[in-house]
């Protein structure tokens, strides 16, 4: 969702413009049980040099560190009180109580909380960066309704100040940058480490699979219908999509095809290597998309926005599709008119996978608060969801839906040391990140004015280096 | 004579009193008065005839008024949104339901939102349930830098939403004004100067229709602005532009100005404070989303307040981060900043004031609503916890002492879909 111009503007056209947790149903409290992650969803790491645009990300130096005496939410749904988390050499060593801190620098976590790094599964940072000027408008290749050939990473401006805000205020350690939703097929997404780099390759999350952005509903048919071309209706949306998939299947069956960027991406989806993130609001459309996926032999990994997900929690669970949603945004267009704040809780109650996303450079800075709002709305209708589970919505669940849960998203031994020390309960409006580590390197420290990134754009400008 | 006046006064009071205003006392409640003070535990709030009679820890419920046990709960004034489009649209993207702006209208300053307010809009219901009781509703600009005249409304479940029509005029400067005026701030300033000149001419009977650029209706509409009877809300972000507006105020001291946006206001905070011009700020904007907001920071509001500026938070108009019902969350974030080194935040009491008494003061109704104090109207919200926390919600909402329904299209959908059981009948029969 690109930034609205700074006047009161009713949203006229929104050009948001992308192996889920199942639960065992609940008694009084709804639990989540970790689901298996498809092991085939591993993109080549790039170190073999055979992959175009390989990641050149390298972890920065850190020190063996123990956060001691804190309340810990580990991302899997567990909570440890008065506990410690230890990390060294960029990896989590352990999280829990009764751990020896011999050889670790100790940080006192009394009164504080620790969570895995927060992960935003739906962002346009870099593609629709600040300042939001036309020269930076790179999120939607809206020159044709299906552009599977474009890759969001080729639009990412690593100097977008939005990345540092997400780090400092939101504890964001990883994020998925998606093409917008003007198109039925928007292109490949990219998963980034929230670590500044001079190049986007330097931010690319090593080992992360690609995603593929699709969009149903109002946006594509409005954008192209207004130009007198297909699609101009929802039925047009589906026809264009289905024909593209048929063409992709034919291409995939060819033993020695000519290189074709669009078909390569679609074939990646059909092969299960590239994960589908489908912007879709209405329950009935999500049901149609799931049937299209079955017809064409691919899987929808996550519906994004899924404003009416609560109406089909059973279908979403049965089809193992995650819902990446807002806490309570609604009502700005017809397909969001039925959005309710109880969406997350009702999905969780049905055993469907819940992820909280932002799709916005402002609310990425408070995913923790959004998750808390969603939890509370559920509680008010009698659906009790533990704090630890709710933290999972913005950590491990997001990681699973992005195919990186084997690498990050929880404070488990061997995973990347991506974590946040909060100065209070992360589900409280009064809390903020105090320290953020990525791969064990301290990338943000509220107590150290200089331990925060300032993008090239901001140097020498009014407010450069200010607490934002 | 005196008794006649008393009779007349009480007769008027009977007619003016809301139809179902109850007399009640809320007991043993934690009260946030909205006047900037910190919360007080164990207080009683006494309401008679739709007005607050007393608030405090002394005394107890008396008489046969209804008693509401506030134990474990908090009470605040109803939230006042300093600037919004609420009530002017059903679905933003559905043009026919969206009366916020008329791009091809023939008039601009003369536009008056009051007749277009729809009290039945779902967004009024939803935001009322979230504790919003009053709002300053503005139009969006069309082809002129003058957007038109906004209104003060209450969010009550009755047909009379508009409390004060033509409560303010809104003008766009900065990059938006520049674009509207033809592509440069220079053009916007000339438009502004010309419009006020024509309004003055109109007010002194010298307006010449033939040589005028404004329509008669627009020139006439700006008369209360130039005479200082109607506030002029000026949307402006950049430090240099804010300085320009302040010097404009010094040159035209009769104008009653309010700055809107003011993302870089903190760079000019002392000047703004000296000028006495209030600010309606975006609470948490911290990105250089344009070249006029390079210095944006979440500490803006805190720094303005520290310098003595009267600052409310507003412009909550429905974006993903800016829904009116997010007002309390935004205020709570300003409190969070107080704990962050190098940041400037607000105390709890100050933060609550930015969404209650300060918007009321800016609207010219200080003390009449937006505060829990003797004589103020009984716009009260009972909360199941700290109102600025993200996990709390209103349990009861009163406007002018009348309890308000909290149902909406949204709440009905939640009820229908609390289960997905269609074993006997389709969901459509579940109502």
């Amino acid at each position: 969702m690109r930034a609205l111009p700074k006047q009161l503007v009713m949203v006229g056209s929104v050009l948001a413009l992308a192996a889920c947790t199942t639960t065992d149903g609940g008694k009084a409290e709804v639990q989540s049980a970790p689901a298996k992650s498809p092991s085939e969803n591993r993109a080549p790491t790039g170190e073999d040099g055979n992959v175009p645009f390989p990641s050149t990300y390298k972890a920065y130096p850190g020190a063996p560190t123990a956060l001691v005496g804190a309340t810990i939410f580990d991302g899997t749904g567990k909570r440890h009180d008065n506990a410690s988390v230890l990390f060294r050499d960029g990896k989590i060593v352990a999280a829990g109580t009764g751990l020896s801190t011999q050889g670790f620098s100790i940080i006192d976590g009394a009164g504080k909380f620790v969570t895995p790094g927060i992960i935003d599964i739906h962002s346009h940072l870099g593609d629709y960066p600040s300042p939001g000027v036309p020269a930076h408008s790179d999120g939607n290749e809206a020159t044709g309704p299906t552009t599977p050939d474009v890759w969001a990473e080729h639009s990412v401006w690593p100097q977008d100040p939005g990345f540092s805000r997400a780090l400092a205020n939101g504890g964001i350690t990883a994020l998925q940058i998606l093409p917008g939703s003007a198109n039925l097929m928007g292109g490949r997404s990219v998963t980034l480490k929230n670590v500044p780099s001079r190049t986007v390759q330097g931010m690319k999350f090593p080992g992360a699979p690609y995603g593929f952005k699709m969009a149903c509903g109002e946006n594509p048919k409005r954008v192209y219908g207004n130009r007198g071309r297909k699609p101009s209706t929802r039925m047009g949306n589906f026809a264009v999509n289905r024909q593209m998939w048929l063409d992709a299947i034919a291409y995939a069956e060819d033993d020695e095809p000519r290189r074709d960027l669009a078909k390569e991406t679609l074939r990646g989806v059909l092969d299960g290597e590239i994960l589908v993130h489908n912007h879709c609001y209405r329950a009935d459309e999500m049901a149609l998309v799931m049937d299209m996926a079955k017809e064409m032999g691919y899987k929808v990994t996550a519906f994004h926005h899924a404003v009416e997900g609560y109406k089909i929690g059973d279908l979403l669970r049965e089809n193992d599709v995650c819902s990446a949603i807002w806490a309570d945004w609604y009502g700005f267009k017809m397909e969001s008119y039925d959005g309710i704040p109880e969406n997350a809780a009702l999905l969780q109650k049905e055993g469907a996978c819940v992820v909280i996303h932002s799709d916005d450079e402002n609310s990425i800075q408070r995913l923790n608060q959004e998750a808390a709002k969603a939890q509370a709305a559920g509680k008010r209708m009698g659906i009790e969801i533990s704090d630890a589970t709710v933290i999972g919505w913005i950590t491990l669940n997001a990681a699973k839906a992005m195919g990186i849960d084997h690498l990050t998203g929880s404070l488990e031994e061997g995973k990347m040391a991506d974590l946040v020390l909060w100065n209070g309960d992360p589900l409280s409006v009064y809390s903020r990140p105090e320290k953020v580590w990525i791969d064990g390197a301290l990338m943000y420290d509220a107590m150290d004015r200089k331990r925060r990134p300032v993008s090239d754009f901001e140097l020498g400008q009014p407010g450069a280096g200010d607490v934002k | 004579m005196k008794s006649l006046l008393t009779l007349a006064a009480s007769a008027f009071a009977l007619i003016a009193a809301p139809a179902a205003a109850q007399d009640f006392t809320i007991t043993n409640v934690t009260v946030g008065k909205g006047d900037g003070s910190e919360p007080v535990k164990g207080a009683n709030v006494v309401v008679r005839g739709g007005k607050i009679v007393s608030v405090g820890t002394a005394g107890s419920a008396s008489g046969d008024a209804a008693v509401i046990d506030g134990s474990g709960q908090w009470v605040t004034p109803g939230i006042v949104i300093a600037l919004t489009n609420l009530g002017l649209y059903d679905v933003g993207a559905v043009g026919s339901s969206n009366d916020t702006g008329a791009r091809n209208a023939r008039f601009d300053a003369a536009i008056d939102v009051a007749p277009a307010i729809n009290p039945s809009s779902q967004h009024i219901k939803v935001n009322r349930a979230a504790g919003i009781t009053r709002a300053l509703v503005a139009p969006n600009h069309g082809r002129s830098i003058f957007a038109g005249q906004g209104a003060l409304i209450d969010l009550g479940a009755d047909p009379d939403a508009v409390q004060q029509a033509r409560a303010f005029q809104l003008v766009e400067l900065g990059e938006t004004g520049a674009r509207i005026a033809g592509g440069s701030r220079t053009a916007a300033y000339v438009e502004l100067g010309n419009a006020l000149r024509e309004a003055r001419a109109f007010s002194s009977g010298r307006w010449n229709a033939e040589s005028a650029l404004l329509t008669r209706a627009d020139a006439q509409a700006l008369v209360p602005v130039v005479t200082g009877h109607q506030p002029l809300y000026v949307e402006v972000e950049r430090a240099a532009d804010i300085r320009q507006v302040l010097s404009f105020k010094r040159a035209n001291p009769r104008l009653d100005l309010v700055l809107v946006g003011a993302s870089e206001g903190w760079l000019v905070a002392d000047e703004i404070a000296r000028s006495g011009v209030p600010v309606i700020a975006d609470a948490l904007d911290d990105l250089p989303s344009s070249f006029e907001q390079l210095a944006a920071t979440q500490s803006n509001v805190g720094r303005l307040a520290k310098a003595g500026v009267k600052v409310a938070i507003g412009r909550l108009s429905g974006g993903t981060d800016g829904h009116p019902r997010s007002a309390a969350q935004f205020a709570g974030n300003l409190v969070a900043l107080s704990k962050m080194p190098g940041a400037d935040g607000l105390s709890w009491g100050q933060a609550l004031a930015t969404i209650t008494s300060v918007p009321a003061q800016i609207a010219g109704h200080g003390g009449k609503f937006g505060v829990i104090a003797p004589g103020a109207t009984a716009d009260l919200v009972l909360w199941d916890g700290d109102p600025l926390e993200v996990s709390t919600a209103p349990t009861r909402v009163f406007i002018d002492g009348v309890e308000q329904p909290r149902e909406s299209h949204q709440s009905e959908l939640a009820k229908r879909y609390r289960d997905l059981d269609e074993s006997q009948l389709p969901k459509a029969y579940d109502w």
Side-chain angles (χ1 to χ4, degrees), chain B residues 328-375:
Chain B
Q329 175 186 9
F330 281 34
N333 270 274
L334 297 177
V335 180
L337 290 172
S338 316
K339 290 198 286 187
M340 303 306 292
D344 289 279
L346 298 177
S347 71
W348 190 95
Q350 286 175 312
L352 180 64
T354 62
I355 56 173
T356 52
S357 62
V358 179
Q361 286 162 26
I362 292 176
H365 293 262
K368 297 208 222 115
F369 59 82
V371 67
I372 301 184

Side-chain angles (χ1 to χ4, degrees), chain A residues 370-452:
Chain A
E370 299 302 302
K373 284 199 290 189
Q375 176 193 35
K379 182 171 182 171
R380 281 189 290 274
M381 70 180 307
I383 302 172
E384 293 280 344
I385 305 166
S386 74
D387 293 355
T389 300
V390 169
I391 293 295
W393 287 348
I394 52 177
T395 54
L396 194 57
N397 279 12
K400 279 191 184 120
M402 289 157 64
I404 54 173
D405 54 302
H406 58 295
L407 297 169
T408 189
S410 60
L411 302 176
E412 294 180 285
E413 185 188 348
K415 285 198 174 174
M416 294 160 168
D418 300 339
L419 60 162
V420 182
L421 176 69
W422 299 83
N423 68 0
D425 183 346
L427 298 177
S428 163
V429 74
Y430 299 120
S431 300
R432 288 292 172 107
E434 187 192 289
K435 290 179 170 57
V436 182
W437 290 267
I438 301 178
D439 292 298
L442 183 63
M443 305 309 297
Y444 169 72
D445 186 352
M447 315 310 282
D448 177 358
R449 245 202 96 230
K450 299 287 272 179
R451 188 59 64 128
R452 70 193 65 207

Side-chain angles (χ1 to χ4, degrees), chain A residues 176-408:
Chain A
Q176 175 171 226
I177 310 302
L178 297 156
S181 57
N183 289 357
L184 291 170
M185 295 182 171
R188 288 199 195 196
S189 68
V190 65
T191 295
L192 301 178
K193 284 270 179 187
N194 195 12
V195 173
S197 171
R198 290 166 293 154
T199 67
V200 67
Q201 295 98 312
M203 295 179 79
K204 270 178 91 162
F205 197 113
Y210 288 103
F212 180 57
K213 175 73 179 287
M214 291 183 67
C216 81
E218 289 181 34
N219 287 4
K221 78 180 182 97
R222 182 189 66 245
V223 169
Y224 294 98
N226 281 347
R227 304 181 198 173
R229 55 180 294 195
K230 205 168 170 184
S232 70
T233 59
R234 282 175 161 88
M235 56 187 177
N237 282 351
F238 276 91
V240 173
N241 274 328
R242 291 169 73 208
Q243 190 58 54
M244 279 295 292
W245 286 117
L246 289 177
D247 295 344
I249 289 165
Y251 176 85
E253 282 164 1
D254 185 345
D255 279 335
E256 295 204 10
R258 266 186 54 173
R259 277 206 72 181
D260 179 309
L261 289 178
K263 297 292 191 298
E264 283 175 4
T265 292
L266 294 173
R267 186 182 58 197
V269 172
L270 293 168
D271 290 346
E273 282 166 10
I274 298 181
L275 309 180
V276 170
H277 295 273
N278 200 140
H279 152 128
C280 209
Y281 285 73
R282 264 178 28 186
D284 56 305
E285 283 189 81
M286 289 191 273
L288 286 172
V289 168
M290 287 189 278
D291 271 358
M292 172 172 66
K294 283 177 192 144
E295 179 193 16
M296 298 300 171
Y298 72 90
K299 184 179 176 353
V300 179
T301 296
F303 283 119
H304 286 234
H305 317 321
V307 154
E308 292 192 358
Y310 64 94
K311 300 185 185 181
I312 50 164
D314 48 358
L315 294 182
L316 293 166
R317 178 192 66 239
E318 282 154 19
N319 286 274
D320 191 29
V321 182
C322 288
S323 298
I325 61 177
W326 293 294
D328 59 8
W329 198 28
Y330 80 104
F332 44 98
K333 40 183 181 163
M334 283 311 302
E335 57 190 1
S336 70
Y337 196 58
D338 282 6
I340 63 175
E342 295 84 357
N343 195 17
L346 287 167
L347 284 165
Q348 180 78 30
K349 170 174 168 279
E350 278 298 315
C353 161
V354 176
V355 180
I356 304 289
H357 74 348
S358 76
D359 191 14
D360 180 78
E361 65 274 16
N362 291 304
S363 44
I364 189 175
Q365 302 179 43
R366 18 183 195 278
L367 283 188
N368 54 308
Q369 297 177 23
E370 299 302 302
K373 284 199 290 189
Q375 176 193 35
K379 182 171 182 171
R380 281 189 290 274
M381 70 180 307
I383 302 172
E384 293 280 344
I385 305 166
S386 74
D387 293 355
T389 300
V390 169
I391 293 295
W393 287 348
I394 52 177
T395 54
L396 194 57
N397 279 12
K400 279 191 184 120
M402 289 157 64
I404 54 173
D405 54 302
H406 58 295
L407 297 169
T408 189

